[in-house]
């Protein structure tokens, strides 16, 4: 006899719910027990249509509202570092939850679950998405899988990704391009170096261009994105007595969402004109879309000053299917993946209140 | 019953003797059969005192001459590359010996053996040295072992190392210093690069100094040494999305024998002032010593224009014990260690004639 899924009380205190789902381990690839518990709990609500796709769970209202919003979060975490079960320090409004997932991102998932259960008649139709494998290679990503295979499930006017953002709106995300700039040389014995051409010396020009580069600050939809062009790796050299015949500088360009991937690549090629360049990794940027009515209403409802998101997040997957998206969730993103990952209860409850105000139309 | 050593006929044709000893494999660490054959053959000559030390063999005349010269060569080779036994192409004066050791350096060893046997009354007393483990790490080097443990065996006014030099005198050798220049940084996520300090960008200045560096041409004892300062390696970078907190450039300085190791290190430190620098490898240079009477007589005897030696060789071990030394031997050093190692018979006989003229006082 197999035990059924863990029973979750979605209407209980959202901080307590966070703690409960943190204590159901769900390292990427092992999300099934948590996905089972989420699916089972959501199926208890008649106002939601619940679907399961692998270890992703989608729950939708169908109230015939004029607009539909998507509110998404991932169920998986990076590996546990002896930091479960959750340890609670302090109590009440001052409590802080310590442990894997408290920041990235079961606080956000708890807020989603609590609101899915307790807001049966939101002012927008809502598609709640809980997905798998965000913390691993992109090809396994559950949101990417849904976007490829069941894009209709992600359709909407606006999306909120409940990734940690210190309960502030972080709009869009920058894109990232990684290229290898190669400098050729001619090998020779280093005792007769004039018979060769030193590729590492040739790379001085590549590094000089990086040093001289002035990164742009780009306004997009009212947010200012700060770009960056940086060497993240360099390798060259064959042996201690050989003039190197090759040097490769790996460069990472973080670019604002006014640029497509093609724009970004063309820009990097112009910076390194005259050098061989190969793109080794690329992820598009996402515009914040704060000019759209649903997004503007969201920002008004949750309050505060929206900020640009510099890191890459899954909001770009929404952008690719034409849905503007923002990050908004409890916890400090700088603590994600650390052994001392921890989140104040107040950040979780603040997000819950803000999203509730938006969904119920009782905003600001 | 164990067979005795291979019998070598030292008075036979020197090219034939080269072929015979090439066909006795003696990869570093496995020199014993060749050392046995050399020792046994030399013991047949009453004008030589023969000593054995490990797989090194030393044979000396004791004629009470006013000067003593040391003539040295190593018995070992780099590993065989299906290039034994020796293949002879052409015949007579046009013959070319193909195979491991023909260049580095059994042609030179054959010349030594032939002269040791057939010049019983040289104008200088001669110490003939045949040693092991030249082609491997310095600590195993047989000449180094003799210099440390039995320096009296290497005493002399002048030394000739019969390493391949195209039968021309190559004087002294340049020194070599290898240092690691470290550039620190501060790690940060590459999406927020302004929070870090990019160590690879910091290395631009190190490479610029290398590019701007003008290597000296230094006259020493009448020979001009061409120096070199070169990056031979560079490494930096932690991950594709992290601003690197460290970049290390490995630099090799090949310096003329007017400088001590301390001079060389001070020079490199001045070039990279402001950067942390660690010496990882150092071998001193050796002056050609062509101003000494025995050396000048040698150059007159063998003829031709002496050249500087750019690569590092065991002549520096003689320099360390106060004996000026030159390289002089058959074969093209550029072919050493190659699979197609080969040496013209004419280069071997030219060296034999030149050294014989010097040792017998019948020089030009």
């Amino acid at each position: 006899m197999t035990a059924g899924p863990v029973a979750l009380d979605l209407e209980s205190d959202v901080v307590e719910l966070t703690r409960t789902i943190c204590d159901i381990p769900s390292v990427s690839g092992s999300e099934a027990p948590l996905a089972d518990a989420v699916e089972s709990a959501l199926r208890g609500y008649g106002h939601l249509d619940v679907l399961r796709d692998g270890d992703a769970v989608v729950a939708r209202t169908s109230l015939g509202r004029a607009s539909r919003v998507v509110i998404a979060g991932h169920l998986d975490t990076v590996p546990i570092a002896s930091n479960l079960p959750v340890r609670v320090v302090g109590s009440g409004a001052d409590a802080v939850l310590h442990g894997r997932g408290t920041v990235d991102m079961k606080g956000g998932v708890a807020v989603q679950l609590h609101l899915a259960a307790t807001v049966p008649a939101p002012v927008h139709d809502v598609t709640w998405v809980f997905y798998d494998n965000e913390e691993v290679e992109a090809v396994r990503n559950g949101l990417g899988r849904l976007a490829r295979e069941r894009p209709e499930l992600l359709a909407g006017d606006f999306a909120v990704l409940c990734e940690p953002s210190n309960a502030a709106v972080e709009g869009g995300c920058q894109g990232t391009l990684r290229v290898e700039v190669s400098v050729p040389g001619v090998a020779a014995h280093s005792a007769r170096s004039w018979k060769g051409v030193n590729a590492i010396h040739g790379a001085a020009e590549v590094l000089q261009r990086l040093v001289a580069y002035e990164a742009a600050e780009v306004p997009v939809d009212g947010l200012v994105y700060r770009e960056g062009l940086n060497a993240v790796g360099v390798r060259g050299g064959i042996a201690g007595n050989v003039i190197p015949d090759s040097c490769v500088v790996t460069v990472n360009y973080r670019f604002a969402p006014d640029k497509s991937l093609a724009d970004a690549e063309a820009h990097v090629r112009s910076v390194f004109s005259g050098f061989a360049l190969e793109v080794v990794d690329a992820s598009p940027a996402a515009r914040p879309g704060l000019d759209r009515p649903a997004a503007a209403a969201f920002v008004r409802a949750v309050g505060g000053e929206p900020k640009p998101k510099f890191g890459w997040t899954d909001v770009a997957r929404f952008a690719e299917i034409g849905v503007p998206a923002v990050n908004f969730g409890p916890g400090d993103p700088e603590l994600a993946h650390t052994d001392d990952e921890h989140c104040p209860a107040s950040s979780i409850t603040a997000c819950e209140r803000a999203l509730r105000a938006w969904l119920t139309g009782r905003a600001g």
Side-chain angles (χ1 to χ4, degrees), chain A:
Chain A
M1 197 180 86
T2 309
V6 176
L8 300 177
D9 179 359
L10 304 188
E11 297 173 42
S12 72
D13 174 69
V14 70
V15 175
E16 195 52 42
L17 182 58
T18 299
R19 179 180 185 171
T20 301
I21 63 175
C22 283
D23 287 344
I24 303 173
S26 58
V27 175
S28 310
S30 304
E31 299 91 338
L34 179 56
D36 290 348
V38 165
E39 178 187 1
S40 171
L42 291 170
R43 285 197 188 281
Y45 294 91
H47 64 276
L48 296 172
D49 297 322
V50 178
L51 293 112
R52 175 78 176 249
D53 182 283
D55 283 330
V57 179
V58 179
R60 293 178 297 177
T61 66
S62 298
L63 302 162
R65 303 295 195 229
S67 58
R68 172 172 292 277
V69 298
V70 184
I71 306 178
H74 63 86
L75 297 174
D76 62 317
T77 69
V78 296
I80 296 160
S82 307
N83 53 2
L84 283 183
V86 166
R87 189 166 50 86
V88 182
V89 177
S91 64
D94 296 327
V96 177
L97 306 190
H98 289 253
R100 178 62 74 228
T102 52
V103 168
D104 192 10
M105 54 164 282
K106 290 182 175 175
V109 167
V111 169
Q112 288 181 263
L113 289 169
H114 187 65
L115 292 172
T118 59
V119 183
V123 295
H124 310 285
D125 269 313
V126 181
T127 302
W128 301 97
V129 179
F130 306 87
Y131 64 98
D132 54 294
N133 286 302
E134 192 268 349
E135 299 289 6
V136 288
E137 58 271 31
V139 67
R140 293 170 61 188
N141 186 293
L143 192 66
R145 183 179 70 246
L146 291 172
R148 279 191 308 275
E149 298 175 6
R150 310 190 67 176
E152 73 284 1
L153 290 180
L154 302 182
D157 300 285
F158 179 60
V160 177
L161 196 62
C162 297
E163 287 274 5
S165 69
N166 280 319
V169 178
E170 293 188 337
C173 77
Q174 297 210 116
T176 177
L177 187 73
R178 202 152 48 234
V179 302
E180 290 188 346
V181 183
S182 296
V183 183
V186 177
H189 195 288
S190 67
R192 290 175 291 274
S193 53
W194 52 91
K195 295 194 174 182
V197 176
N198 195 315
I200 296 175
H201 295 196
E205 171 67 18
V206 174
L207 300 191
Q208 275 301 328
R209 292 192 196 177
L210 285 165
V211 169
Y213 185 83
E214 295 193 14
E217 303 203 351
V218 184
V220 182
D221 298 351
L223 300 184
V224 176
Y225 290 85
R226 186 168 176 180
E227 298 193 334
L229 185 72
N230 271 277
V232 291
V234 62
R235 61 180 191 276
I238 298 161
N241 61 352
V242 178
I243 300 302
D245 64 356
S246 168
C247 184
V248 177
V249 183
T250 305
V251 174
N252 185 208
Y253 180 37
R254 298 281 175 158
F255 57 94
D258 64 326
K259 295 176 190 68
S260 67
L261 274 176
D263 294 338
E265 181 178 337
H267 177 66
V268 172
R269 286 193 183 278
S270 77
V271 171
F272 297 109
S273 64
F275 290 96
L277 186 152
E278 187 186 356
V279 174
V280 291
D281 192 33
S283 297
R287 297 184 76 97
L290 298 180
D291 49 345
R292 301 226 188 162
F298 172 78
V299 171
R300 276 198 307 278
V302 303
E305 189 67 26
K307 299 177 201 162
K309 183 74 173 179
F310 296 121
W312 196 89
T313 79
D314 271 348
V315 297
R317 300 188 191 280
F318 284 108
E320 285 189 89
I321 56 172
V323 182
V326 298
N327 300 277
F328 179 79
D332 180 352
E334 303 274 335
L335 295 174
H337 304 190
T338 67
D339 291 358
D340 187 33
E341 186 173 345
H342 60 272
C343 184
S346 59
S347 187
I348 300 170
T349 54
C351 281
E352 193 272 342
R353 273 196 309 274
L355 286 170
R356 177 179 300 278
W358 177 49
L359 293 177
T360 58
R362 290 186 281 101

